[in-house]
Amino acid sequence: MIILTVIMGFIALIALAMPDLVLLGLFLIVPGIILMVAPTAFLYMASATAIRWLLPARTGVKATVLAFCTAGVFAALVAYPFRWIGEREYRASIQEDVVCASPLKLEGNIRLERRDVLHWKRGQTEQCDELCAALLLVPGVKSVTLANGIDCQHETTWKLVPRGSVPNTRLKPIDPEQIFQHYPAEEDADRLGGTRIHEFHQARREQLAAEWNLRLATRQTLVARDVAVAPHTTIVITRSKQDSKPAVERIEVLGQSGRTLFRRSLVEHSVVNSPPYIAFHPSMSNSRFAIGRTKYSTGSRRERFDPIAELIENVEGLRQTPSEDAPRLVKQRLVEALGNVASDSDGLELAVPWIVGLGYQTPSDKDAEIVHRIVANLRVPDVGEALRRIYPKTIPLRYRSILVQRIIAQQTHAEDRTYFASLLSKMPPGTFADMTAEEWQVINDPSLRGDSAAFIERLADLRKPGVQPMLEILQHAVQTMPKWHQRKPVVQAVCRGLARLGPDANEALPMIRSSFEQQRCPITNSAGDALAWRIAMARMGLSIEELPHPPSWKEPAIAKMRDQVSRRLAKYDPEAGLW
């Protein structure tokens, strides 16, 4: 028996150390089953062996049977308290569902308690999400008070008021069109199929987003106040998932008196099995062993609970049917506003949301023309983030002067300046051979140049006349920016620019080499930076054998560096740059 226990312990050790081997063994059936049950079998055999050792030797087979029975009973007794506690916690978490005979009608002030806030995206806890937006559109609802967190102490009241009655806050809900994700999947399966379903859902999302944009630009203003009002109806969404505790997902609707008008829950809990065993959980990426548990659930097997979907099914007016004409009206009003140069038309507020609505695809010729007019209109602020969706890396040449004007404009954010400069730096070679006064302003103004460092590289289009400005910019960065992260974009842009120039930048070699060989080199911070400058110096005319390197380097390291530079030079593309 001892020998069998040792053998089983060795097999159990293999299974626990390499659980993926168990999964592989299951394809051969018998080896997999042996490995899978080995940990549990070893525990019971080791316990039975210990008990058998305490019994008289002459009892023989009876003692062995008694030892196994005693080990099983003892294991069950040890696991029973944990099972009992788990079952009690599961029962305590259950609340009886309350079903309403007819859809609920919401009126007045609504309090929405989101106790599932830990599952939201960061930064959305204090914003009006898709459910908040949908509730605001329910006929009869005056306001929605969001109460967030487990204790629901942080309260923000959202309200739609007539446009012009309060200053324009420019607040808007977060992705109100996401409410359609909570609609039943089979809703349109009978009348649509395949790609038509996807197209229908996409069109419906675009319609609701356009409807909201049009509403906030023409008819109403969304306001938020950090005060709570007395609610007529309270909606409570709970989602609690903690280790070793029951998982509770619940939606409740409470009347003004606190009476429960509707409740729907899903409670799940995994309780330790008695008698205990070690269960194998197969996975293609993370197979593992764990204590065997029995799953308790108030729902069906693998049921997914969506509290917002439950609310949509049981609240009158919450299901939305957006206007199919909304996208066309948004586009029409936007075009009219772009043509109105006399005043800051409210329709310009539609510009950025309209670009966002185009998605991450190349726009049609007509839409591309509208995008061009939007970017060219400096009355439309903060276009950078939206423009990234359709022009992430390159942009048509006709945007040249527009982007420069955007960089110079005071209202442009630093992040947008960096993006616009990056687009300029990727325009065709020779584009900036004849720089305009505004482009020289971006180059010469340190306050603009810091955010638009990528554009410095295009001084290479000037050929030899561009060398001296680049050297002056590099020297200014070294002298005025003591920290590497501050001067890094400028240093790298100058490096790329000199590499583009190649032999035309030969006059810059003495200064670059002198800076490179300093003990505390101001133009490098890593091996990658050093490699880039060596490639640039080689492009500028310095032979590979003369490339500078630390005096401590041995011959193998020097040879490796030279070989690396040679290979990079062979496939160097001036249009692509070094990075």
Side-chain angles (χ1 to χ4, degrees):
M1 186 172 177
I2 295 177
I3 296 176
L4 186 59
T5 302
V6 171
I7 294 173
M8 189 57 67
F10 179 72
I11 298 174
L13 180 62
I14 294 175
L16 293 171
M18 296 181 289
D20 290 335
L21 186 62
V22 183
L23 183 62
L24 182 63
L26 287 174
F27 288 101
L28 302 176
I29 303 176
V30 175
I33 293 175
I34 294 174
L35 289 170
M36 187 169 59
V37 302
T40 302
F42 170 71
L43 288 180
Y44 280 99
M45 289 185 67
S47 301
T49 300
I51 296 171
R52 176 66 182 85
W53 183 74
L54 298 175
L55 296 176
R58 63 178 180 274
T59 52
V61 176
K62 293 181 180 180
T64 302
V65 174
L66 179 61
F68 273 103
C69 292
T70 304
V73 172
F74 179 75
L77 291 174
V78 170
Y80 181 77
F82 298 98
R83 180 184 180 88
W84 178 78
I85 292 173
E87 290 178 343
R88 187 182 65 173
E89 290 176 338
Y90 170 71
R91 289 191 296 268
S93 300
I94 297 175
Q95 294 184 17
E96 185 178 354
D97 287 352
V98 177
V99 180
C100 45
S102 59
L104 296 171
K105 187 174 182 179
L106 302 181
E107 292 182 339
N109 303 315
I110 308 299
R111 179 180 174 86
L112 177 58
E113 296 186 1
R114 296 296 301 255
R115 298 176 182 173
D116 59 342
V117 67
L118 296 178
H119 302 272
W120 286 13
K121 294 180 181 178
R122 182 177 296 178
Q124 291 189 3
T125 57
E126 299 177 3
Q127 301 187 40
C128 186
D129 66 343
E130 67 267 24
L131 178 56
C132 167
L135 288 169
L136 286 172
L137 297 185
V138 173
V141 171
K142 296 180 179 179
S143 69
V144 175
T145 298
L146 285 183
N148 299 321
I150 298 176
D151 55 1
C152 293
Q153 292 299 307
H154 190 279
E155 300 170 331
T156 305
T157 298
W158 296 85
K159 190 175 183 180
L160 283 170
V161 300
R163 189 173 178 85
S165 61
V166 297
N168 189 0
T169 61
R170 297 189 183 277
L171 291 175
K172 57 185 298 186
I174 288 185
D175 301 329
E177 66 275 13
Q178 297 301 325
I179 192 68
F180 293 123
Q181 291 186 351
H182 305 282
Y183 281 38
E186 66 279 2
E187 181 182 74
D188 306 291
D190 294 337
R191 59 192 183 94
L192 296 171
T195 56
R196 293 189 61 200
I197 291 182
H198 172 74
E199 293 172 357
F200 170 75
H201 290 327
Q202 181 61 28
R204 188 168 58 172
R205 286 192 291 268
E206 292 175 358
Q207 290 160 10
L208 183 58
E211 203 171 69
W212 263 104
N213 292 332
L214 197 62
R215 176 188 301 274
L216 296 178
T218 59
R219 304 196 307 273
Q220 292 178 305
T221 298
L222 182 64
V223 296
R225 296 186 175 89
D226 292 334
V227 293
V229 295
H232 297 89
T233 307
T234 300
I235 300 172
V236 182
I237 297 178
T238 304
R239 186 178 182 185
S240 173
K241 289 190 176 183
Q242 302 178 23
D243 292 340
S244 303
K245 297 293 182 181
V248 180
E249 295 183 271
R250 179 173 291 127
I251 174 72
E252 295 178 280
V253 180
L254 310 176
Q256 195 167 10
S257 62
R259 183 173 66 90
T260 301
L261 305 177
F262 172 75
R263 182 192 293 131
R264 176 84 167 81
S265 306
L266 176 64
V267 180
E268 296 178 329
H269 195 26
S270 295
V271 179
V272 174
N273 196 71
S274 180
Y277 66 95
I278 299 177
F280 176 64
H281 298 276
S283 171
M284 296 304 295
S285 59
N286 186 30
S287 297
R288 60 188 178 86
F289 283 92
I291 296 175
R293 294 175 178 270
T294 301
K295 185 176 180 179
Y296 289 79
S297 176
T298 57
S300 58
R301 181 179 176 85
R302 295 185 179 179
E303 178 177 346
R304 296 187 63 184
F305 184 80
D306 186 344
I308 299 179
E310 296 289 340
L311 207 59
I312 291 172
E313 289 294 319
N314 291 277
V315 172
E316 182 180 329
L318 195 56
R319 185 183 294 272
Q320 302 187 10
T321 306
S323 169
E324 296 181 2
D325 206 31
R328 185 190 65 80
L329 293 175
V330 166
K331 189 173 181 179
Q332 176 183 330
R333 188 171 182 87
L334 173 59
V335 172
E336 292 174 355
L338 290 170
N340 181 10
V341 297
S343 63
D344 292 334
S345 172
D346 292 337
L348 292 179
E349 295 179 22
L350 298 169
V352 172
W354 181 80
I355 296 177
V356 171
L358 295 177
Y360 295 87
Q361 55 187 1
T362 303
S364 64
D365 292 342
K366 290 184 178 180
D367 287 345
E369 182 59 34
I370 297 176
V371 172
H372 182 265
R373 293 180 62 188
I374 291 173
V375 180
N377 196 321
L378 296 182
R379 295 178 297 167
V380 181
D382 307 329
V383 299
E385 184 176 351
L387 197 62
R388 279 187 185 89
R389 293 170 173 255
I390 49 181
Y391 298 121
K393 295 181 179 180
T394 59
I395 200 167
L397 182 59
R398 64 175 180 160
Y399 280 85
R400 171 184 171 179
S401 60
I402 296 173
L403 296 182
V404 173
Q405 292 172 14
R406 284 277 178 182
I407 291 174
I408 295 174
Q410 292 184 353
Q411 68 268 28
T412 303
H413 297 303
E415 186 177 345
D416 283 350
R417 281 198 177 102
T418 302
Y419 164 61
F420 297 147
S422 174
L423 293 178
L424 289 172
S425 72
K426 294 180 175 63
M427 286 187 171
T431 298
F432 302 95
D434 185 14
M435 281 198 175
T436 65
E438 289 180 325
E439 289 163 356
W440 275 115
Q441 182 180 348
V442 174
I443 292 293
N444 294 327
D445 188 340
S447 63
L448 296 176
R449 190 171 63 214
D451 298 329
S452 313
F455 185 53
I456 299 169
E457 178 181 348
R458 299 314 300 266
L459 284 168
D461 288 358
L462 302 176
R463 308 313 299 171
K464 281 183 176 292
V467 177
Q468 191 59 35
M470 277 195 275
L471 293 181
E472 292 174 0
I473 289 171
L474 181 63
Q475 188 174 11
H476 180 271
V478 171
Q479 293 174 350
T480 61
M481 300 176 180
K483 296 183 179 179
W484 170 253
H485 75 272
Q486 295 174 323
R487 64 177 183 271
K488 174 182 176 180
V490 175
V491 171
Q492 291 185 341
V494 171
C495 181
R496 287 194 298 266
L498 294 174
R500 276 180 183 250
L501 283 171
D504 285 343
N506 184 268
E507 64 184 89
L509 265 175
M511 176 184 168
I512 298 301
R513 186 167 184 175
S514 174
S515 298
F516 189 87
E517 292 178 335
Q518 289 183 26
Q519 187 171 2
R520 298 186 63 179
C521 180
I523 60 175
T524 64
N525 191 54
S526 67
D529 298 328
L531 173 63
W533 276 111
R534 289 190 180 103
I535 295 172
M537 285 187 281
R539 286 269 306 161
M540 293 157 67
L542 191 66
S543 66
I544 292 180
E545 288 72 22
E546 295 179 303
L547 289 174
H549 55 79
S552 59
W553 277 19
K554 305 297 182 183
E555 190 59 36
I558 297 173
K560 181 179 179 181
M561 177 269 290
R562 291 172 177 171
D563 178 66
Q564 192 174 18
V565 172
S566 298
R567 285 188 283 107
R568 293 287 292 272
L569 281 175
K571 56 183 181 181
Y572 178 81
D573 181 1
E575 296 184 25
L578 292 176
W579 289 276

